[in-house]
Amino acid sequence: MRSPVRVLELAGASVLVYGDAPSACQAAAERIAETTRAAVANKGRAVLGLATGATPEPVYARLVAMHREGDLSFANVVTYNLDEYYPISPLDPRSYRAYMHEHLFAHVDIPSNQTHMLDGTVPEASVADHSAEFDRWIANDGGLDLQLLGLGRNGHIGFNEPSDTPVADSLKLPTRLVDLHHVTLASAARDFGDESRVIPRALTLGVASILSARAILILAFGPHKAEPVARSLEGPMTSRVPGSFLQAVSGKVTWVLDEAAAQGLAVRSTVASAVKTAR
Ligand code: GLP
C-alpha cells in the first residue's frame, strides 16, 4: 500500500497528499478494491459510483491490472456513473458510456446489465422521469458504497456547476439535466477538438445522491486543481464552489491529492496541528 507524504484533517475530511499522481492513483485504486471486496464479502455485492475525465484514467488502468492479476473481480459489482453529455449516443466516442467501456468495462468481468449510465438518448420530455428513476435505482440497490469523484477546474462535482443557488437548496439537488459552465466547456474542448463543438448540456447525478454515498473518494491532481481544492476545503461552503458541498458530510470523505493540487492549501502540517489550524 502506498503511503501519503502528508495526511491532513480538513473540513471533516481526510486529505491524503501523495508525492505524485501515479502514487495517488495507485492508492485510490487500492481503496476502491478494498471497498469492493469488503462490500461483496459483507452483503454479496458492491455498489460503486464512478467518474470520468482524465483524472481517474490511471485508476481504472490499475483496477484492470488487479483484475488481470486475479486480485479483483467485478462479477458482483454494480456501477452507476456520475454524468453523461446530453444529447449523445452511447456509440459516440465522446460519450461517457464509450469512455467507461474503453477504460474499464471492456476489460473486467462486470456483466453489462450491472453498469448503469445516464442515458443521453432519452427524449427531452422524459429526462426528468429518467433522472428520477436513476436516483431510485441507486436507492433500490441499497445506495452507493463508494462514490468516486473528480473536481472540475471551476470546483464542479459531476456536472453540478457553480451557481448562485442557496446552499441549503443545492444540497438537495436531484439528478437532472444541466447547462455546462463556460469553464467546463473550455476544459471539454480537449475531448471535442474545439470549444465550440462541446455539447453544452449534460445529465448529472445530483448533489443529494452524491452526498448520500457511504464513502466519497475525490481525486485532484496538478497545479490547475490547486485553487478549487483550496476553495473546497478551506473556503466557506458555497454554491459557487460545488466541491465545498462535501463539507456537509463529515467523516466519510477522503481527498486524494498530489503535491501540485495541494499547494494552495494554507494548512500544510500533520493531522494534529492541521485540525487546530482549521478551526
Ligand atoms: C468532467 C466530469 C467530471 C470530472 C471533471 C474533472 O467534466 N464531468 O465528472 O470529475 O470534469 O475532469 P478532469 O479529471 O478531466 O480534470
Side-chain angles (χ1 to χ4, degrees):
M1 174 73 86
R2 298 273 166 160
S3 298
V5 292
R6 286 185 289 138
V7 178
L8 310 173
E9 290 293 334
L10 278 176
S14 297
V15 183
L16 313 180
V17 183
Y18 288 83
D20 54 35
S23 308
C25 286
Q26 179 156 348
E30 285 167 6
R31 178 73 65 108
I32 295 165
E34 276 166 19
T35 302
T36 301
R37 292 186 198 108
V40 172
N42 292 337
K43 61 187 173 92
R45 68 175 168 180
V47 185
L48 302 180
L50 299 180
T52 48
T55 307
E57 283 180 19
V59 176
Y60 293 134
R62 185 66 208 121
L63 291 173
V64 169
M66 286 179 194
H67 173 68
R68 289 198 174 132
E69 288 154 15
D71 288 339
L72 183 63
S73 170
F74 290 80
N76 296 305
V77 173
V78 176
T79 64
Y80 286 91
N81 261 79
L82 260 180
D83 44 24
E84 181 60 284
Y85 290 103
Y86 184 85
I88 199 165
S89 158
L91 301 177
D92 188 316
R94 302 161 307 175
S95 71
Y96 286 157
R97 167 58 83 179
Y99 171 107
M100 289 310 301
H101 184 78
E102 178 187 344
H103 293 288
L104 185 66
F105 298 155
H107 311 292
V108 298
D109 58 342
I110 191 163
S112 59
N113 64 354
Q114 290 171 203
T115 65
H116 303 91
M117 307 277 309
L118 285 156
D119 184 350
T121 69
V122 294
E124 193 150 351
S126 307
V127 158
D129 284 348
H130 173 60
S131 301
E133 186 176 46
F134 202 76
D135 283 335
R136 271 199 308 278
W137 286 344
I138 293 174
N140 291 344
D141 266 333
L144 301 169
D145 292 306
L146 179 83
Q147 175 65 62
L148 180 65
L149 290 178
L151 184 69
R153 295 173 86 116
N154 60 3
H156 75 206
I157 48 175
F159 274 134
N160 292 282
E161 298 284 27
S163 77
D164 294 319
T165 307
V167 169
D169 296 335
S170 290
L171 295 178
K172 292 184 210 145
L173 282 171
T175 296
R176 67 202 185 285
L177 180 62
V178 296
D179 292 321
L180 298 182
H181 186 264
H182 63 93
V183 172
T184 302
L185 297 176
S187 301
R190 183 189 73 122
D191 298 323
F192 286 83
D194 183 80
E195 189 177 329
S196 65
R197 290 199 222 153
V198 178
I199 297 173
R201 292 193 298 170
L203 298 163
T204 184
L205 201 65
V207 177
S209 293
I210 292 172
L211 297 183
S212 300
R214 279 184 279 285
I216 297 173
L217 185 62
I218 178 162
L219 316 178
F221 309 135
H224 57 300
K225 299 292 173 75
E227 188 193 337
V229 164
R231 292 183 72 193
S232 296
L233 280 164
E234 293 183 328
M237 206 193 308
T238 165
S239 299
R240 299 308 309 164
V241 186
S244 71
F245 296 148
L246 300 179
Q247 296 179 21
V249 286
S250 218
K252 65 179 184 184
V253 180
T254 304
W255 288 76
V256 172
L257 309 176
D258 66 358
E259 286 278 18
Q263 72 193 3
L265 293 171
V267 173
R268 302 195 58 78
S269 46
T270 57
V271 167
S273 58
V275 171
K276 212 167 133 207
T277 315
R279 282 179 182 155

